[in-house]
């Protein structure tokens, strides 16, 4: 619930800015369209994450603590998400089952990485970095003739190889305390505010014109620097706006659900299910 409250509040408000709301019927239609849409005007991740946390209840069935049972339960849960989207959410997808199916393997991999202490094992095996880089290059350049296989590559194998490389590189820097690490840590503590608020800033930028300029400039490096600078500016503006909102106890309670559904309590619940 602590994830769904900000999704509904910020997502609902943002949805109202996208179209005319001249009367109450328009208002209701905007909200209904927002709830039923798979992407939810960009706010799909909070619903998807809520579904993932809810699915963790299945792991209570693993009373023996077996890793094999955990994997079986994870595969079964993934199959439920995929089947749910295939047979019930082709047109309307209020529970974001399409995104649940696409991203659940990476969520549960993160859970298992903590539960079974996989990250230290990854750090000790440098050859996995080479496999990740080679695999990413291969899957990025080669197109499989079978559509189903290409879909698996695009949604699972290619992101997995990229994730393997990025996680390994961050593990190598885990004890560094440079300016970059401090800023990444600061951003990491404010990801919810960045996620729910950045759309309001981006909506006021003419993305189409900016993209056209970057494409026509012919200078890829300049376009990259401009896009990075814009992203950093939006990130810190979102954090600043979030800090102002958090100053209100009412906003914390009724928008973020902080006092109603404590974040610490939620993390303890998930920790119990994982362990």
């Amino acid at each position: 619930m602590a994830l769904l409250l900000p999704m509904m509040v910020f997502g609902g408000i943002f949805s109202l800015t996208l179209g005319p709301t001249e009367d109450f019927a328009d208002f209701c239609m905007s909200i209904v369209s927002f709830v039923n849409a798979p992407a939810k005007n960009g706010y799909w991740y909070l619903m998807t994450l809520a579904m993932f946390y809810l699915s963790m209840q299945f792991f209570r069935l693993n009373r023996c603590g077996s890793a094999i049972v955990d994997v079986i339960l994870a595969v079964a849960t993934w199959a439920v998400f995929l089947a749910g989207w295939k047979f019930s959410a082709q047109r309307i997808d209020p529970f974001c089952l399409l995104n649940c199916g696409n991203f659940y393997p990476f969520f549960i991999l993160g859970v298992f990485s903590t539960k079974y202490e996989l990250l230290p094992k990854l750090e000790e095996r440098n050859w996995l970095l080479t496999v990740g880089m080679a695999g990413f290059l291969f899957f990025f350049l080669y197109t499989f003739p079978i559509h189903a296989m290409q879909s698996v590559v695009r949604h699972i194998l290619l992101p997995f190889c990229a994730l393997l490389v990025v996680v390994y590189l961050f593990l190598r820097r885990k004890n560094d305390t440079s300016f970059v690490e401090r800023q990444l840590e600061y951003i990491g503590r404010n990801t919810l505010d960045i996620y729910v608020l950045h759309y309001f800033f981006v909506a006021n930028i003419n993305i189409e014109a900016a993209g056209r300029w970057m494409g026509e400039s012919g200078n890829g490096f300049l376009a990259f620097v401009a896009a990075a600078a814009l992203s950093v500016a939006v990130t810190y503006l979102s954090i600043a706006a979030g800090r102002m909102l958090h100053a209100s106890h009412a906003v914390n309670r009724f928008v973020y659900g902080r006092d109603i559904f404590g974040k610490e309590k939620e993390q303890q619940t998930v920790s119990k299910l994982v362990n």
Side-chain angles (χ1 to χ4, degrees):
M1 287 299 295
L3 296 169
L4 298 183
L5 264 179
M7 183 200 77
M8 290 302 301
V9 174
F10 291 107
I13 294 173
F14 182 69
S15 298
L16 294 176
T17 68
L18 298 178
T21 52
E22 299 177 355
D23 51 32
F24 185 69
D26 289 338
F27 171 82
C28 293
M29 184 57 67
S30 295
I31 299 300
V32 170
S33 298
F34 164 73
V35 172
N36 287 333
K40 304 201 182 322
N41 293 327
Y43 288 86
W44 59 269
Y45 179 70
L46 295 179
M47 173 60 79
T48 301
L49 196 56
M51 293 295 289
F52 288 165
Y53 282 140
L54 183 62
S55 72
M56 292 300 295
Q57 299 292 333
F58 294 149
F59 290 85
R60 292 182 183 274
L61 299 173
N62 186 8
R63 299 185 182 278
C64 60
S66 168
I68 296 177
V69 174
D70 268 352
V71 171
I72 293 174
L73 289 171
V75 172
T77 303
W78 188 26
V80 169
F81 284 137
L82 292 173
W85 169 75
K86 180 68 176 178
F87 297 108
S88 68
Q90 292 287 315
R91 291 190 174 183
I92 60 174
D93 192 5
F95 299 111
C96 295
L97 295 179
L98 173 59
N99 288 315
C100 287
N102 285 337
F103 294 101
Y104 181 76
F106 303 103
F107 169 80
I108 202 62
L109 179 61
V111 172
F112 288 168
S113 295
T114 300
K115 183 173 183 178
Y116 296 108
E117 300 180 347
L118 300 180
L119 293 183
K121 299 175 183 177
L122 170 62
E123 192 175 12
E124 294 169 358
R125 292 163 174 80
N126 179 266
W127 60 270
L128 287 174
L129 174 63
T130 305
V131 171
M133 292 189 293
F136 181 86
L137 186 63
F138 173 75
F139 291 130
F140 182 80
L141 295 176
Y142 184 76
T143 301
F144 288 83
I146 303 175
H147 175 73
M149 185 60 190
Q150 184 62 25
S151 180
V152 171
V153 167
R154 186 173 70 251
H155 292 293
I156 304 297
L157 298 181
L158 185 64
F160 176 77
C161 290
L163 185 65
L164 192 64
V165 173
V166 171
V167 170
Y168 184 88
L169 294 178
F170 271 96
L171 285 173
R172 295 293 299 270
R173 298 179 62 90
K174 65 180 179 181
N175 295 321
D176 291 349
T177 57
S178 68
F179 175 79
V180 173
E181 271 71 30
R182 292 196 301 271
Q183 292 307 303
L184 289 175
E185 183 182 2
Y186 177 68
I187 291 172
R189 293 196 303 266
N190 295 277
T191 50
L192 178 60
D193 288 327
I194 297 169
Y195 181 68
V196 298
L197 292 170
H198 82 277
Y199 290 110
F200 295 94
F201 294 105
V202 173
N204 290 289
I205 301 172
N206 192 332
I207 298 295
E208 183 177 351
R212 191 183 310 115
W213 173 80
M214 291 180 186
E216 294 174 354
S217 68
N219 190 328
F221 179 75
L222 177 62
F224 171 78
V225 171
L230 184 62
S231 300
V232 170
V234 170
T235 295
Y236 282 96
L237 283 172
S238 301
I239 293 175
R243 290 176 69 88
M244 287 189 289
L245 291 175
H246 287 300
S248 167
H249 295 298
V251 171
N252 265 334
R253 173 180 285 269
F254 298 111
V255 175
Y256 288 95
R258 291 290 172 86
D259 296 329
I260 304 174
F261 314 101
K263 185 176 181 181
E264 183 177 344
K265 182 178 179 180
E266 181 179 324
Q267 289 176 339
Q268 290 174 353
T269 301
V270 174
S271 179
K272 289 179 181 178
L273 291 174
V274 172
N275 299 322

